[in-house]
Amino acid sequence: MNSKKILSILLGIVGIASIALLMVIISTGDESIKAGEASSTVNLFMYVAYIVLLLTLVFVVVFTLKNMFANKHTLKNTLMSVGAFIVLAVVCYFLATGVETPLKDGDTLSANGSQLIGGGLYLFYVLILIAGGIMLVSGVKKMTK
């Protein structure tokens, strides 16, 4: 049996189990849930959601790494992109200034923490500009064709 059939069967089982658990929650009723009488049902749903999320993350990471290492060109492009991102993040971190800041709860945000937050904001702005530029160039290319 190939992996696509196994994955389809697994997805079907998870889907049917999710529908069954949804019916259990719906039959329990809003008032019972609000009153806390159905905490075991809600907890069961939460654990199932955590398990499905964990399985999804594991499958995504495993298959992404498998496909990435199977093709050297893809691996090279990925490593170059990750390296460029790290370089950009370091540059943004050092461009940001850090100032000790008092917080509302009485604690103090350190200068390093402030610099880290500022660097993250700069990185976010630069990535937005890059994405916008790429979309603009792509749109102009499509319009000129």
Side-chain angles (χ1 to χ4, degrees), residues 51-62:
I51 290 170
V52 169
L53 177 64
L54 180 69
L55 286 174
T56 304
L57 289 174
V58 166
F59 281 127
V60 166
V61 168
V62 166

Side-chain angles (χ1 to χ4, degrees), residues 26 39 84 88 102 133:
I26 290 172
S39 63
L88 187 61

